[in-house]
Amino acid sequence: MSSVNSGPVLAAAIAPIVGNNDFPFAAATNAEAPALPSGFPSELRSKLAWTGSDFADESKYILCLTGTDLAEVKQAIAEYKSLDQDGYLVEPNSFQLPTLGLKLRALGQDVHFGKGFGVIRGLDRAAFSVEDLTLAYMGLQSYIAEQRGRQDKRGNMLVHIVVDDSTKQAAEHHRHSNKSITFHNEEAGDIVSWLTRSTAATGGKCIIASAYTIYNVLAATRPDIIRTLARSDWPFSMPRFQCRPVIFYEDSKLIMNFGRAALLGNQAHPRPQHLPSLTARQVEALDAIEAIAKASQMEIQTQAGDIHFINNLAVLHRREGFVNGEDASTKRHLVRMRLRSTEHGWPIPKELTQEWDEAFKNKGIKRWHLEPMPAYYFPLRQQPN
């Protein structure tokens, strides 16, 4: 399959993708290819444009904690607890990591302006109480991005991604299902982070893909799909009804933000019948994103104690299906947070600012549950603090 409007370097990079059986979208010819939207580049030359095959060497994206690093983490936990402060107030000045902190700052730069993802590995889940493990998680992540955002209307700051089959509705929600889910972004947060407290018996890999690579393939082969994605007529139903683009190009940065559930509905979130349906072109565009993402994806075999960071503006993620075991250590349990850096945060398109403001700026309740709670949990107390 030939590509259009691409130089030899880009053409060589996209050839394995468009030649993949998972990419059933014929490239436009030069005669029929429409122009890209005004202001959108013909190619994104960035470290954020990659494929999974670029990272055969795990050392390129995994920060393995040394004995010295772990000693600093344990010392920081002990010193922070001596301050008698609530755990959610932890930040670099109160969680000092003299040597590891420099590595974490470099990781933060890479997540924001490099390849857009990274993993911290080496925390021994069994060596920490739940409280200390959560404090370590939040202390480490504060060096990457210090602002923490609400993740739903109940004000949950720590979202526990675990299987919950207590009700049909809970079992169908992507947070609590063991089924595979398609590529998507979270609806808010520059950075999405999660701590793996335990992994499934089988399956459940973290799978990511570059929005920049997806853009480059489409710009070279199907610029008409780029035009479709950049239109302001995509009828999102969640978290509120809004017509807006799927992709933005501002400040020399591409931002992609979407999820199929908000556009097509699913079992847990049926699409209201009174809302407009997607057009055939829009469905084709979503299918093209999924196909390119799968053809260029990167799979990360997660271990208990891992902390993942992905740039939610430039990297898509999905989950493969999994099967839990009988033992607690073989039941998949992730703790997710949405983050933003005051120093490194990207400018957010105006169409997305309401979600960002509700997560990071607006006043409201914040709940910090260390364990999964029922949907209608009431924090009643029998004793004072």
Side-chain angles (χ1 to χ4, degrees):
M1 180 180 296
S2 63
S3 61
V4 298
N5 300 329
S6 60
V9 175
L10 177 58
I14 69 174
I17 299 173
V18 299
N20 189 298
N21 291 333
D22 289 333
F23 185 72
F25 300 93
T29 66
N30 283 297
E32 65 188 17
L36 289 165
S38 176
F40 280 69
S42 60
E43 178 185 355
L44 294 167
R45 299 186 178 184
S46 169
K47 293 179 181 179
L48 285 163
W50 47 259
T51 66
S53 60
D54 295 332
F55 299 102
D57 181 357
E58 287 188 343
S59 66
K60 291 183 176 181
Y61 62 90
I62 296 180
L63 169 59
C64 291
L65 301 180
T66 67
T68 300
D69 295 334
L70 290 169
E72 286 190 359
V73 171
K74 292 178 180 179
Q75 180 66 23
I77 291 172
E79 291 180 355
Y80 187 83
K81 290 165 72 173
S82 72
L83 300 176
D84 198 26
Q85 291 185 348
D86 287 333
Y88 66 83
L89 297 174
V90 66
E91 45 89 26
N93 286 337
S94 58
F95 198 86
Q96 295 189 17
L97 303 168
T99 302
L100 177 57
L102 297 176
K103 301 177 187 178
L104 297 174
R105 297 289 191 192
L107 175 59
Q109 284 279 345
D110 201 22
V111 172
H112 283 93
F113 307 115
K115 56 184 166 288
F117 67 95
V119 180
I120 299 173
R121 178 165 291 170
L123 290 178
D124 180 1
R125 168 68 183 87
F128 298 88
S129 66
V130 170
E131 293 83 357
D132 285 0
L133 183 66
T134 306
L135 183 59
Y137 171 38
M138 294 174 62
L140 291 168
Q141 73 170 216
S142 70
Y143 284 81
I144 310 298
E146 83 289 354
Q147 296 183 48
R148 304 173 179 114
R150 299 180 189 83
Q151 302 190 63
D152 53 36
K153 293 180 179 178
R154 296 188 182 94
N156 283 307
M157 304 295 288
L158 302 170
V159 164
H160 295 266
I161 302 176
V162 294
V163 169
D164 179 1
D165 56 4
S166 59
T167 66
K168 185 174 184 293
Q169 183 179 16
E172 291 172 348
H173 195 290
H174 67 271
R175 283 186 193 173
H176 304 308
S177 167
N178 66 349
K179 299 176 182 177
S180 63
I181 54 178
T182 56
F183 279 104
H184 63 284
N185 312 94
E186 298 302 317
E187 60 200 28
D190 298 37
I191 307 299
V192 175
S193 170
W194 62 90
L195 164 70
T196 300
R197 282 178 34 180
S198 54
T199 59
T202 60
K205 289 179 184 176
C206 164
I207 304 175
I208 59 176
S210 164
Y212 277 52
T213 295
I214 294 168
Y215 177 93
N216 282 342
V217 172
L218 290 175
T221 61
R222 289 292 304 273
D224 59 307
I225 292 181
I226 295 292
R227 294 185 69 86
T228 298
L229 293 170
R231 288 176 60 91
S232 299
D233 59 354
W234 287 80
F236 286 80
S237 66
M238 298 185 295
R240 58 192 171 91
F241 178 71
Q242 178 191 22
C243 287
R244 64 164 176 84
V246 168
I247 62 171
F248 308 84
Y249 188 72
E250 299 181 7
D251 194 35
S252 299
K253 293 181 175 65
L254 177 80
I255 290 175
M256 182 177 287
N257 184 275
F258 82 102
R260 282 184 172 243
L263 291 165
L264 297 170
N266 58 22
Q267 288 182 309
H269 302 286
R271 188 172 179 83
Q273 293 184 356
H274 67 277
L275 295 182
S277 300
L278 298 192
T279 66
R281 284 183 177 273
Q282 288 174 327
V283 172
E284 181 190 36
L286 291 184
D287 290 344
I289 289 176
E290 187 74 9
I292 300 169
K294 285 184 175 179
S296 60
Q297 71 185 20
M298 176 179 174
E299 299 183 0
I300 301 175
Q301 187 65 56
T302 303
Q303 299 180 13
D306 282 358
I307 301 175
H308 289 245
F309 298 92
I310 62 171
N311 185 323
N312 187 51
L313 304 172
V315 176
L316 307 182
H317 64 284
R318 73 176 180 93
R319 178 189 70 216
E320 69 171 352
F322 63 93
V323 177
N324 279 336
E326 295 298 322
D327 186 80
S329 65
T330 59
K331 296 183 186 296
R332 188 174 187 265
H333 185 172
L334 310 184
V335 184
R336 188 188 70 199
M337 296 194 72
R338 294 177 179 172
L339 310 173
R340 179 169 170 82
S341 166
T342 301
E343 181 180 2
H344 300 311
W346 289 17
I348 301 302
K350 64 181 185 301
E351 293 90 343
L352 302 178
T353 54
Q354 181 170 333
E355 279 65 51
W356 258 252
D357 287 349
E358 289 177 354
F360 295 101
K361 291 185 178 180
N362 296 348
K363 293 182 179 179
I365 193 167
K366 295 181 179 180
R367 303 186 187 278
W368 301 86
H369 297 312
L370 295 183
E371 298 289 355
M373 293 293 175
Y376 298 102
Y377 167 79
F378 293 94
L380 301 178
R381 296 175 182 268
Q382 291 183 328
Q383 299 176 347
N385 287 335

